[in-house]
Amino acid sequence: MSTSTATDAAVKAGPRPAGGIRQSVRDSLVVAKRNLIRMVRIPEVVLFGLIQPVMFVILFTYVFGGSIQVGGSLSSQDYRNFLMAGIFAQTVTFATAGAGAGIADDMHKGLIDRFRSLPMARGAVLTGRTIADLAQTALTLVVLAGVALLLGWRTHENFGKILAGFGLLLLLGYAFSWIGALIGLSVRTPEAATSGGLIWLFPLTFISNAFVDSNKLPTFFRHIAEWNPFSTTVQACRELFGNLPPGFKTPDAWPMQHPVLASVLWSVLILLAFRTLAVRKYRSAS
């Protein structure tokens, strides 16, 4: 092959992404910074993301508190403590819709195609986006925890266990953000990504132990709830926060008996599976 032919072939192939973990991390952080700056410049996105979970806390606390029995207690305080792990978990998983809509918007504007023409690590665009979403989710959790404390939520374990509980929540949220990334790459408009990101989250979060004692669900739904990765994280957080109500009977299913380990396993499995699928879709998306 002549020198000119080789040069032409290299030009047609386009820029090659630089290899190595260091390059991948650097590219991911650059994209994450871009998305964080965008969030700061459009504060209403963050604000609306904060309002919804706060409304859930207030509505469930004052509308259902004292009306739903958990364990052997009808106390509104016991239900408030029981509820908060479910609200926290719902908040981090609902961020999936925002992640999908953001990526779909970038696709719609042609930004993804421009990124793919640059010599950057293949997964950096999606990794940077999900890291930025994780930062927003962490901020939302801090604000939500503050509101919950003002409304009377209390923990009964040491600080290390409480931090571990929030760590599990962020891990679940990060894993689910890759589901949102895959949805955002698979649809044509941000509106479709938002709808596609929410439609499956409602049954996931409500057929669970988030808002009611799963022992009281019909048999079919109880088995789904007990093996639901969302329920597993909720149960783990309740144990780590010390929020299990008096007389509460832990279900016999393995994920409910070992919720911390099961939560980590579920989140890592979801993360690995959907990151692989999303990066593969990113390479072929147009």
Side-chain angles (χ1 to χ4, degrees):
M1 181 183 292
S2 66
T3 304
S4 60
T5 304
T7 302
D8 292 342
V11 171
K12 291 179 180 179
R16 293 182 179 180
I21 296 177
R22 180 180 298 180
Q23 178 71 32
S24 180
V25 170
R26 182 165 60 245
D27 292 343
S28 298
L29 292 177
V30 168
V31 176
K33 180 180 178 181
R34 173 256 175 190
N35 283 285
L36 288 172
I37 291 173
R38 184 182 181 214
M39 290 176 187
V40 171
R41 292 177 178 174
I42 313 177
E44 56 268 26
V45 174
V46 179
L47 180 62
F48 291 148
L50 292 171
I51 290 175
Q52 178 179 307
V54 170
M55 288 178 59
F56 270 110
V57 172
I58 295 173
L59 289 173
F60 273 92
T61 297
Y62 292 107
V63 175
F64 298 109
S67 301
I68 297 179
Q69 184 174 5
V70 288
S73 174
L74 267 173
S75 164
S76 59
Q77 179 62 44
D78 287 337
Y79 181 67
R80 186 180 297 115
N81 289 339
F82 176 87
L83 170 70
M84 282 314 304
I87 295 291
F88 289 145
Q90 184 190 53
T91 300
V92 301
T93 53
F94 271 39
T96 302
I103 290 175
D105 186 50
D106 288 343
M107 285 282 294
H108 186 67
K109 293 176 179 177
L111 186 62
I112 296 294
D113 287 332
R114 291 197 290 274
F115 276 136
R116 288 195 302 182
S117 69
L118 298 174
M120 45 190 312
R122 294 200 177 273
V125 174
L126 301 181
T127 302
R129 174 76 208 197
T130 54
I131 290 174
D133 289 330
L134 180 64
Q136 181 179 347
T137 300
L139 173 63
T140 303
L141 278 180
V142 170
V143 174
L144 188 56
V147 172
L149 288 170
L150 291 175
L151 294 176
W153 172 62
R154 295 295 181 267
T155 57
H156 302 92
E157 291 290 352
N158 61 60
F159 188 64
K161 287 188 176 181
I162 294 170
L163 283 182
F166 282 108
L168 289 179
L169 289 167
L170 291 175
L171 178 60
L172 180 72
Y174 185 66
F176 271 59
S177 68
W178 282 99
I179 302 179
L182 180 61
I183 292 173
L185 291 169
S186 303
V187 299
R188 297 182 179 180
T189 64
E191 293 79 11
T194 301
S195 299
L198 288 174
I199 194 170
W200 59 275
L201 281 172
F202 279 101
L204 181 80
T205 55
F206 281 94
I207 306 177
S208 72
N209 60 357
F211 309 112
V212 297
D213 184 350
S214 61
N215 290 307
K216 298 182 178 1
L217 294 175
T219 303
F220 176 72
F221 290 116
R222 185 176 72 248
H223 291 316
I224 294 176
E226 290 171 351
W227 287 87
N228 185 341
F230 179 83
S231 295
T232 305
T233 300
V234 171
Q235 181 72 10
C237 288
R238 285 185 182 135
E239 290 191 3
L240 292 169
F241 295 157
N243 284 162
L244 291 175
F248 180 81
K249 181 183 181 300
T250 301
D252 294 329
W254 186 86
M256 297 294 101
Q257 291 292 326
H258 307 87
V260 175
L261 175 59
S263 176
V264 173
L265 291 176
W266 267 122
S267 295
V268 170
L269 179 63
I270 292 169
L271 172 60
L272 293 177
F274 282 92
R275 187 186 189 281
T276 300
L277 293 173
V279 172
R280 184 178 300 171
K281 184 69 176 178
Y282 168 78
R283 292 175 180 175
S284 61
S286 61

